[in-house]
């Protein structure tokens, strides 16, 4: 019934592709966007096999020779059963042994006393650390019925791009959760990290680290397909105009020409420095909150000797979006999604950092759709969707060897693979000095604001209050004087 996993592994964990366009499945609304050249659901187009991910003779995506439709069905049947059976168990404190429990249930196609009949091949469904993950979901305010409804009420939507890992990505129809296939060593490493992950979440539920809600395994056709359920960083209801995978490294950190052909390519550090040489400007309170959260998260990763992680930064340009033509059908769909309350706490970019910018600050905080308000050097309004990804990189011998080899032919301090302490320091420095910056105030406005803040609110005259209001909505030219 229960088994313990073995030691960790230096295997990557990439969710950067979770922002890829969804495959156009006619039966599933909200997934109609153009495909990359390797998308399995492009009409009649062959795809390149990457890792365990491929395509069968009918053109359907496969993973370890199991079709995507069969895998999605098995996932939904398995999660329905495991969450239902877990609800019969009384709630209690999480014990150390709970992190290593693996529960298993067999799903024959003809059905059984415990499982319904289905039209897929026989499969076995395993649930890792069910009590521990139930606690994680409760910590983020996810009720069992909401979890089931999101993942099992409607068909999962497949995301087309698998990236270099060859993983499959699915998103729930309500945009709440991402399901990703992971390798054996990744699942082992995640299970080994669970006690420390538990401790960190207890101390700090607001984090940019991935939020894990469940770890499962589908055994089908003699193969083990392990999947993890996580928070969705990039809502499909918000159009992303540009996306970056940033490590704070410059060695070969530029997107390939092939990557740039995609509808929403994942660009890298050198691309960001070229596109945003002045960085992204945030309200002072927002900037401080973001950097504080990054510092705390990097300290956690460093304590686990984890490195080579990235910050996924996806940008929605509000001003561009307002100028873009949009159909009434798309607008209606977007408005409906935005009105739906989010099930998971602390899962949007705004909620993941400590605190918000004060109302009346230099950037509008209303109607941010979960994104962090920012501006570029032109003064255009942006929404940033961010999160730390690729966290399952253990700094072991293979990575030490990789760094030593690269350092022979290039400056060792600029390559992405480095010892965890140096990596964390360089990562924070790059993000908080090059990528994100405080909005600069014109000296005249800055002096007025300082003078205004020195007067207690109860002693301010009507003229003072009117002046405060004028300062809080500083014209774009004064915010960014270099553009005047």
């Amino acid at each position: 019934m229960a088994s313990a996993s073995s030691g960790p592994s230096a295997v990557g964990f990439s969710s950067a592709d979770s922002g890829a366009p969804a495959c156009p499945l006619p039966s599933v609304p909200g997934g109609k966007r153009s495909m990359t050249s390797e998308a399995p659901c492009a009409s009649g187009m062959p795809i390149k096999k990457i890792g365990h991910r491929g395509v069968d003779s009918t053109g359907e995506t496969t993973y370890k020779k199991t079709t995507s439709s069969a895998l999605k069905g098995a996932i939904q049947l398995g999660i329905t059963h495991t969450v239902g059976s877990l609800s019969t168990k009384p709630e209690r404190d999480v014990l150390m042994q709970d992190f290593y429990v693996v529960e298993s249930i067999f799903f024959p196609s003809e059905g059984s006393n415990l499982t319904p009949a289905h039209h897929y091949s026989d499969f076995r469904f395993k649930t890792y650390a069910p009590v521990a993950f139930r606690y994680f979901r409760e910590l983020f305010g996810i009720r069992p019925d909401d979890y089931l409804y999101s993942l099992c009420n409607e068909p999962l939507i497949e995301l087309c791009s698998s990236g270099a890992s060859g993983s499959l990505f699915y998103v729930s129809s309500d945009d709440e959760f991402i399901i990703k296939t992971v390798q054996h060593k990744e699942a082992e490493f995640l299970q080994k990290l669970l006690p420390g992950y538990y401790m960190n979440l207890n101390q700090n539920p607001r984090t940019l680290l991935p939020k894990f809600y469940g770890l499962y395994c589908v055994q089908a056709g003699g193969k083990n397909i392990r999947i993890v359920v996580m928070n969705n960083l990039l809502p499909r209801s918000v159009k992303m105009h540009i996306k970056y995978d940033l490590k704070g490294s410059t060695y070969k950190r530029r997107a390939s020409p092939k990557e740039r052909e995609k509808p929403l390519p994942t660009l890298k550090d050198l691309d960001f420095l070229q596109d945003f040489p002045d960085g992204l400007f945030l309200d002072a309170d927002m900037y401080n909150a973001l950097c504080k959260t990054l510092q705390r998260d990097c300290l956690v990763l460093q304590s686990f000797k984890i490195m080579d992680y990235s910050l996924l930064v996806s940008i929605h340009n509000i001003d561009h979006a307002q100028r873009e033509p949009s159909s009434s059908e798309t607008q209606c769909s977007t408005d409906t999604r935005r009105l739906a309350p989010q099930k998971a706490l602390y899962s949007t970019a705004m909620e993941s950092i400590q605190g918000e910018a004060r109302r009346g600050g230099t950037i509008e905080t209303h109607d941010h759709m979960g994104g962090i308000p920012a501006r570029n050097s032109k003064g255009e309004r942006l929404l940033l969707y961010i999160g730390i990804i690729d966290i399952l990189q253990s700094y072991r011998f293979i990575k030490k060897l990789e760094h030593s080899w690269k350092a022979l032919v290039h400056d060792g301090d600029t390559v992405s693979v480095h010892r965890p302490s140096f990596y964390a320091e360089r990562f924070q420095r790059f993000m908080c000095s090059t990528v994100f910056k405080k909005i600069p105030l014109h000296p005249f406005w800055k002096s007025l604001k300082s003078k205004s803040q020195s007067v207690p609110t109860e002693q301010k005259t009507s003229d003072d209050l009117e002046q405060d209001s004028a300062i809080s909505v500083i014209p774009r030219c004064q915010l960014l004087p270099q553009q005047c």
Side-chain angles (χ1 to χ4, degrees):
M1 181 85 174
S3 64
S5 57
S6 57
S9 169
V11 180
F13 193 141
S14 174
S15 60
D17 303 294
S18 61
C23 296
L25 304 172
S27 60
V28 181
K32 299 179 181 178
R33 288 179 67 182
S34 56
M35 250 61 55
T36 68
S37 59
E38 293 184 353
C41 37
S43 55
M45 293 183 66
I47 72 161
K48 178 182 177 182
K49 189 176 185 301
I50 306 176
H52 296 297
R53 180 179 180 269
V55 65
D56 65 10
S57 57
T58 66
E60 184 176 3
T61 311
T62 62
Y63 190 83
K64 294 188 176 181
K65 298 184 180 179
T66 296
T67 62
S68 180
S69 58
L71 179 57
K72 288 189 288 185
I75 290 171
Q76 292 185 315
L77 285 170
I79 290 179
T80 298
H81 179 274
T82 189
V83 173
S85 62
L86 190 61
S87 64
T88 64
K89 299 179 181 179
E91 294 189 12
R92 58 172 174 80
D93 293 337
V94 179
L95 306 176
M96 192 62 185
Q97 57 263 34
D98 291 328
F99 296 111
Y100 305 105
V101 170
V102 182
E103 294 183 350
S104 178
I105 182 72
F106 183 60
F107 284 81
S109 57
E110 65 273 14
S112 68
N113 292 335
L114 298 175
T115 63
H118 55 86
H119 57 274
Y120 310 111
S121 299
D122 297 352
F123 68 92
R124 182 173 293 277
F125 192 84
K126 292 184 176 182
T127 304
Y128 294 84
V131 172
F133 279 108
R134 177 176 67 177
Y135 172 83
F136 296 152
R137 294 194 293 269
E138 289 173 351
L139 189 64
F140 291 113
I142 304 172
R143 300 186 307 177
D145 54 343
D146 287 335
Y147 188 64
L148 278 179
Y149 187 85
S150 293
L151 292 173
C152 304
N153 187 58
E154 295 184 27
L156 299 172
I157 301 170
E158 183 181 341
L159 301 177
C160 286
S161 178
S162 68
S165 66
S167 296
L168 279 186
F169 289 90
Y170 301 113
V171 62
S172 59
S173 60
D174 61 1
D175 247 10
E176 285 283 339
F177 305 108
I178 285 286
I179 296 178
K180 181 196 172 188
T181 59
V182 294
Q183 299 176 23
H184 179 207
K185 293 298 183 181
E186 292 178 286
E188 280 187 344
F189 194 13
L190 175 56
Q191 195 173 8
K192 187 175 181 65
L193 290 179
L194 286 181
Y197 183 71
Y198 167 87
M199 181 179 67
N200 181 56
L201 286 185
N202 266 317
Q203 297 173 345
N204 177 41
R206 290 180 183 259
T207 174
L208 288 168
L209 297 176
K211 297 170 179 67
F212 302 112
Y213 302 132
L215 179 62
Y216 310 100
C217 176
V218 176
Q219 288 184 322
K223 302 287 187 180
N224 291 310
I225 303 175
R226 296 168 180 84
I227 61 167
V228 66
V229 180
M230 316 165 24
N231 60 307
N232 181 18
L233 291 177
L234 309 181
R236 291 174 297 119
S237 57
V238 180
K239 178 177 181 180
M240 301 301 168
H241 293 93
I242 195 164
K243 182 176 62 169
Y244 298 93
D245 178 296
L246 303 175
K247 293 180 181 290
S249 165
T250 55
Y251 178 62
K252 292 189 175 180
R253 293 290 297 164
R254 192 181 296 279
S256 66
K258 186 175 183 180
E259 177 68 25
R260 290 178 175 274
E261 294 175 2
K262 297 179 180 180
L264 183 62
T266 302
L267 306 178
K268 299 184 179 180
D269 300 69
L270 290 175
D271 304 307
F272 181 88
L273 293 174
Q274 178 178 314
D275 298 340
F276 295 94
D278 297 320
L280 301 170
F281 295 95
L282 280 70
D283 178 276
D285 290 343
M286 199 77 73
Y287 171 87
N288 292 334
L290 174 57
C291 290
K292 180 181 177 182
T293 303
L294 285 171
Q295 181 182 23
R296 184 188 304 105
D297 288 341
C298 286
L299 187 61
V300 171
L301 295 173
Q302 181 182 331
S303 71
F304 287 122
K305 293 183 168 52
I306 293 173
M307 33 124 313
D308 211 28
Y309 43 87
S310 305
L311 186 71
L312 181 67
V313 179
S314 195
I315 302 174
H316 170 78
N317 190 310
I318 297 175
D319 292 337
H320 283 188
Q322 290 179 348
R323 294 193 294 265
E324 293 170 349
S326 59
S327 65
S328 58
E329 177 184 355
T330 303
Q331 187 64 37
C332 179
S333 172
T334 300
D335 290 343
T336 302
R337 286 183 178 277
R338 283 170 55 188
L339 291 174
Q342 186 181 16
K343 295 180 177 65
L345 300 174
Y346 318 126
S347 289
T348 67
M350 275 289 287
E351 292 172 333
S352 293
I353 65 175
Q354 290 291 313
E356 297 182 359
R358 290 175 289 104
R359 290 192 176 277
T362 53
I363 291 184
E364 305 86 344
T365 59
H366 66 283
D367 196 27
H368 48 64
M369 298 180 287
I372 297 175
R375 290 186 187 270
N376 59 19
S377 60
K378 298 177 182 177
E380 294 173 328
R381 295 170 298 161
L382 312 174
L383 290 177
L384 309 181
Y385 295 83
I386 64 175
I388 295 175
I389 60 173
D390 296 340
I391 75 164
L392 297 190
Q393 288 285 0
S394 179
Y395 190 65
R396 295 165 64 109
F397 174 74
I398 187 66
K399 287 298 178 183
K400 292 180 181 179
L401 187 64
E402 181 182 349
H403 176 264
S404 298
W405 177 80
K406 287 182 177 179
L408 290 175
V409 295
H410 201 80
D411 180 3
D413 286 351
T414 65
V415 300
S416 65
V417 181
H418 223 294
R419 63 187 183 277
S421 58
F422 180 93
Y423 191 93
E425 180 183 349
R426 186 186 62 184
F427 183 88
Q428 293 175 62
R429 184 171 62 250
F430 182 76
M431 301 309 163
C432 293
S433 63
T434 302
V435 177
F436 305 113
K437 298 180 180 180
K438 293 181 184 180
I439 285 187
L441 295 180
H442 190 280
F444 171 73
W445 291 100
K446 189 173 181 180
S447 63
L448 279 181
K449 192 170 185 179
S450 176
K451 178 181 177 182
S452 174
Q453 290 175 342
S454 65
V455 181
T457 303
E458 61 272 12
Q459 297 180 14
K460 290 184 179 180
T461 65
S462 58
D463 291 340
D464 292 331
L465 294 174
E466 184 177 350
Q467 184 186 74
D468 288 350
S469 177
I471 295 173
S472 68
V473 189
I474 301 175
R476 181 179 303 173
C477 192
Q478 274 72 30
L479 280 175
L480 301 165
Q482 67 270 28
Q483 298 299 319
C484 299

